[in-house]
Amino acid sequence: QKEVEQDPGPLSVPEGAIVSLNCTYSNSAFQYFMWYRQYSRKGPELLMYTYSSGNKEDGRFTAQVDKSSKYISLFIRDSQPSDSATYLCAMSLYQGAQKLVFGQGTRLTINP
Amino acid sequence: SAVISQKPSRDICQRGTSLTIQCQVDSQVTMMFWYRQQPGQSLTLIATANQGSEATYESGFVIDKFPISRPNLTFSTLTVSNMSPEDSSIYLCSVTQGGNEKLFFGSGTQLSVL
């Protein structure tokens, strides 16, 4: 079993829809949770960074962590075609960026 | 955040040859890492590039196959040695800054081995 499971998709939704992206994990010691966005032929860029359980909002993006269920989510409101990308979840035991464990990534397409 | 430049952006190589990938950062950074992103797979950490000393390799990766240099705080190289088609992948340089909490990536090198 992988430490971090993420449905690779592809996921296709109409413009304006609310998108829900999810990851599950097996190691209950993970404390730091991240979401990265990766456009084609580009490196991943950090979208959200959260610590422990709870919600964090940044514009149209909300990251949610449920440590009791070992489940994290990223919600995108009012989705735009420019949101079309691969979204990677990542998590770590440590505060630093070392030893990140990544999910496989979910390929998302927003259709105009 | 730091601007990270990787060269080459892509290359097609023959089996048995070696390729060196360069990573240049526009400011001094604390830590530099090399990741591999194979098709349909998770990003996997190859090694931490240590300034002035040998790199720290993750399980499954060895120095003979992936020698790494980091002569200063802004530059690192990763060599993929004696390549086989299984080495076809995207190789990504990444760095941390400040409090080391967040990881930033270069654009990657798309390597195809024939």
Side-chain angles (χ1 to χ4, degrees):
Chain A
Q1 182 190 9
K2 294 180 183 178
E3 271 194 293
V4 179
E5 298 275 1
Q6 184 176 9
D7 186 341
L11 179 62
S12 182
V13 302
E15 183 176 356
I18 296 175
V19 177
S20 172
L21 303 167
N22 312 294
C23 289
T24 59
Y25 60 95
S26 57
N27 188 346
S28 58
F30 284 135
Q31 295 192 73
Y32 299 89
F33 304 91
M34 289 133 273
W35 286 94
Y36 284 82
R37 177 176 62 195
Q38 185 175 21
Y39 291 114
S40 180
R41 299 185 181 181
K42 298 290 186 183
E45 58 177 319
L46 182 64
L47 265 182
M48 301 288 282
Y49 181 96
T50 56
Y51 168 68
S52 197
S53 286
N55 292 356
K56 182 176 182 178
E57 189 173 317
D58 184 359
R60 296 185 295 110
F61 298 90
T62 300
Q64 192 173 79
V65 175
D66 182 348
K67 291 190 70 179
S68 62
S69 302
K70 290 184 273 189
Y71 188 88
I72 69 171
S73 301
L74 178 71
F75 298 96
I76 308 174
R77 292 183 299 281
D78 186 25
S79 56
Q80 305 293 311
S82 58
D83 296 327
S84 299
T86 296
Y87 289 80
L88 304 155
C89 64
M91 46 201 78
S92 175
L93 303 174
Y94 314 104
Q95 183 175 7
Q98 302 94 310
K99 304 290 187 181
L100 290 186
V101 181
F102 284 84
Q104 189 178 353
T106 300
R107 185 185 300 179
L108 172 67
T109 300
I110 308 297
N111 300 304
Chain B
S1 61
V3 176
I4 306 166
S5 303
Q6 255 186 263
K7 291 194 297 186
S9 58
R10 56 196 309 123
D11 207 342
I12 300 173
C13 300
Q14 296 297 318
R15 180 195 298 261
T17 62
S18 298
L19 176 72
T20 296
I21 303 167
Q22 297 181 1
C23 178
Q24 179 73 56
V25 190
D26 69 344
S27 58
Q28 292 185 348
V29 294
T30 311
M31 303 191 74
M32 298 181 78
F33 306 92
W34 287 97
Y35 279 83
R36 182 172 72 182
Q37 189 174 30
Q38 293 180 303
Q41 303 290 321
S42 307
L43 271 169
T44 303
L45 179 64
I46 297 171
T48 302
N50 300 310
Q51 193 260 329
S53 64
E54 196 170 281
T56 304
Y57 290 84
E58 297 300 307
S59 176
F61 298 96
V62 295
I63 188 171
D64 290 347
K65 177 66 175 178
F66 297 102
I68 288 171
S69 77
R70 189 178 173 192
N72 55 52
L73 293 176
T74 64
F75 186 78
S76 178
T77 66
L78 168 74
T79 299
V80 186
S81 303
N82 188 25
M83 288 184 285
S84 67
E86 292 72 33
D87 294 319
S88 297
S89 184
I90 299 173
Y91 292 86
L92 292 151
C93 171
S94 62
V95 306
T96 61
Q97 283 189 302
N100 296 336
E101 287 186 350
K102 300 176 182 178
L103 192 64
F104 301 95
F105 287 88
S107 290
T109 297
Q110 173 78 62
L111 171 63
S112 298
V113 184
L114 305 179

